[in-house]
Amino acid sequence: MVAVTSPRRPCPGPDPLWRYLTEHDSKYEGKKKLKISGRELLSVPIQVFGLDQLQVLEMSPEQESCLRYRMELLPQEIGHLRNLTCLYVDSNKLKKIPTEIGTLSCLERLTLSNNSLSLLPTEMGALQRLHSLHLANNSLTELPAPLCQLRSLAFLDVSDNKIDTIPSSIRHLQKLEMLLLLFNSLESLPEDVCLLRNLHTLWLGNNHLWSLPATSGELVNLDWGYNYCSRSFEGNPLESPPPEVCSRGPEGIRDYFSSLCRIWRD
């Protein structure tokens, strides 16, 4: 671990009680990492955003660390940290993300879960190296369009929001492997979801889905059996196809919809 500052070195400024906390972390071996801690911390010291070589920044309150504050605003100076690859700001009180987030072109992992976000800036679509995005437990009512521009995205968690619409542009996320949509307000899915052929995990539990797209059988990398780690539909009034048909896998789903087409033609 390359230290950004000396361990527990106080930052000059009006709030001497905060600390730079550097630590050995094998997960980020060789990266410059900063984890902010301080029992009486009231805001993020502005000096943090002068550390332009920083690669990993943790600003998430934790039960055992001693952060008692919750950020309501991510400072626009975050845009100065152009070398960040990982940014953790979950479990705060964020209501918006500054447009400067779009300048973090090296960002690979971003955690924004457990905040109060209802919108995301269009500039987030510029994060073309981002492969892991956590947005669970916010106030989103639709899947933000900028997310569908993130061509490197492999993991997306938007569970526990108020999402009732998935845009057709989701088809652009061709590298997506895990899509978590539990506990939302979805009544339908666009056919475009079925173009995400690399999906091996799709969680749709506790929505309002009564049907799946007719091309759902094309998602051949999902385990359509009873492997709940791969797919989850529980808590939906699913009728077409019924759960027992889904458990038969892609071939059973295709046969089901083919039989429906024959009935409609007759």
Side-chain angles (χ1 to χ4, degrees):
M1 184 66 181
V2 180
V4 178
T5 63
S6 299
R8 298 192 177 280
R9 174 186 174 186
C11 175
D15 187 354
L17 298 176
W18 81 285
R19 295 290 184 269
Y20 284 139
L21 177 63
T22 57
E23 58 188 303
H24 174 78
D25 190 337
S26 59
K27 184 177 180 180
Y28 303 110
E29 193 66 39
K31 288 191 174 184
K32 297 180 176 68
K33 176 186 175 182
L34 173 64
K35 181 176 180 178
I36 297 179
S37 175
R39 286 191 177 276
E40 304 302 329
L41 186 62
L42 299 178
S43 63
V44 178
I46 198 67
Q47 293 91 340
V48 168
F49 304 106
L51 301 171
D52 56 5
Q53 297 302 308
L54 198 60
Q55 294 169 290
V56 180
L57 177 57
E58 293 190 8
M59 296 190 291
S60 300
E62 295 179 337
Q63 291 182 355
E64 295 182 4
S65 80
C66 57
L67 277 181
R68 293 180 179 173
Y69 84 109
R70 298 287 189 274
M71 284 190 297
E72 295 186 3
L73 179 66
L74 183 63
Q76 62 184 22
E77 288 82 4
I78 191 70
H80 296 167
L81 303 180
R82 302 293 178 88
N83 288 298
L84 276 186
T85 61
C86 301
L87 176 59
Y88 300 86
V89 287
D90 46 296
S91 301
N92 281 284
K93 294 182 179 180
L94 298 176
K95 294 183 178 180
K96 63 182 298 186
I97 300 298
T99 59
E100 287 78 7
I101 195 79
T103 66
L104 305 182
S105 59
C106 294
L107 204 60
E108 298 174 358
R109 182 181 178 88
L110 176 59
T111 69
L112 293 166
S113 295
N114 305 318
N115 281 288
S116 301
L117 299 170
S118 58
L119 295 171
L120 296 177
T122 56
E123 288 78 5
M124 276 191 65
L127 302 177
Q128 290 303 303
R129 294 188 184 182
L130 196 67
H131 61 72
S132 181
L133 178 57
H134 300 246
L135 278 163
N137 192 24
N138 276 283
S139 300
L140 301 171
T141 57
E142 61 182 6
L143 190 68
L147 302 191
C148 297
Q149 301 172 30
L150 303 175
R151 304 301 178 96
S152 298
L153 203 61
F155 176 93
L156 176 59
D157 184 2
V158 287
S159 300
D160 203 6
N161 278 276
K162 303 172 184 177
I163 296 173
D164 58 15
T165 303
I166 302 294
S168 61
S169 54
I170 196 172
R171 65 183 181 277
H172 298 311
L173 302 182
Q174 287 299 306
K175 293 186 177 180
L176 198 62
E177 298 177 0
M178 300 182 70
L179 177 58
L180 310 185
L181 288 161
L182 300 96
F183 292 98
N184 278 288
S185 301
L186 294 170
E187 295 184 0
S188 64
L189 291 177
E191 295 273 350
D192 306 83
V193 169
C194 303
L195 298 175
L196 304 177
R197 303 299 167 79
N198 284 313
L199 269 186
H200 61 69
T201 300
L202 177 61
W203 289 0
L204 296 167
N206 294 93
N207 278 279
H208 307 303
L209 296 169
W210 65 272
S211 69
L212 297 178
T215 53
S216 297
E218 301 302 317
L219 295 173
V220 295
N221 287 321
L222 290 185
D223 186 337
W224 287 95
Y226 293 99
N227 182 359
Y228 297 116
C229 291
S230 179
R231 61 92 187 148
S232 170
F233 304 127
E234 287 67 30
N236 286 287
L238 194 61
E239 296 180 0
S240 179
E244 59 269 21
V245 171
C246 292
S247 66
R248 298 173 195 161
E251 186 174 351
I253 293 171
R254 287 193 291 266
D255 288 345
Y256 173 84
F257 282 110
S258 294
S259 66
L260 284 184
C261 287
R262 288 193 295 270
I263 293 173
W264 292 334
R265 284 198 300 267
D266 297 340

